[in-house]
Amino acid sequence: MERVELFRAKEGALRKKSSGAAFYGLIRIWQKRYFVLSNGQLQWYTNAKQTNRRGGFFVSSMCAIKLLKKKGGRVLEIYTHKEKALKAYHLLANDAQTANEWLEVLKGD
């Protein structure tokens, strides 16, 4: 069978704020993840080898996305519809330019 290469709009390392409470609910931590945006889906992995998928969502499920001013404008805040509720994601880029690039590609501009 012929292998079909997926269309990749963007990929790279970002930090994702943990969704679960660490340390008995006292704090949430920023975890380094490798993100891939392809075929209308944003997925993240533990590293660039993409062998251990940690999560993802369809871009069409996004209802809001914006850059937050905290951490020098490097934090993306994304809300998606998930099972009759909103799910928030916070992604931290290494610099403001990278954060803006992700914002633009996710918005589809």
Side-chain angles (χ1 to χ4, degrees):
M1 183 185 329
E2 183 179 333
R3 182 178 172 179
V4 177
E5 182 63 33
L6 298 176
F7 169 73
R8 292 186 176 201
K10 185 156 183 67
E11 61 183 273
L14 299 168
R15 294 189 180 273
K16 180 183 169 294
K17 199 168 217 181
S18 62
S19 57
F23 305 109
Y24 304 103
L26 300 177
I27 61 171
R28 291 171 42 187
I29 58 175
W30 292 98
Q31 299 170 323
K32 188 173 183 180
R33 297 287 181 246
Y34 191 82
F35 286 79
V36 176
L37 175 63
S38 65
N39 297 326
Q41 192 172 16
L42 182 65
Q43 299 181 63
W44 50 93
Y45 302 84
T46 53
N47 56 45
K49 294 179 184 176
Q50 302 173 27
T51 55
N52 188 9
R53 184 176 176 271
R54 301 297 297 166
F57 60 81
F58 286 98
V59 175
S60 61
S61 71
M62 288 187 336
C63 55
I65 181 171
K66 65 180 178 179
L67 274 178
L68 300 181
K69 291 182 180 178
K70 61 180 164 182
K71 295 202 180 272
R74 299 180 299 142
V75 178
L76 286 163
E77 182 177 61
I78 302 169
Y79 287 94
T80 63
H81 292 287
K82 186 172 184 177
E83 300 171 8
K84 300 181 183 179
L86 290 179
K87 169 83 174 150
Y89 298 93
H90 293 92
L91 309 179
L92 175 64
N94 285 335
D95 54 60
Q97 179 181 346
T98 302
N100 275 304
E101 290 171 1
W102 277 100
L103 177 68
E104 296 304 315
V105 75
L106 287 167
K107 285 172 55 178
D109 293 346

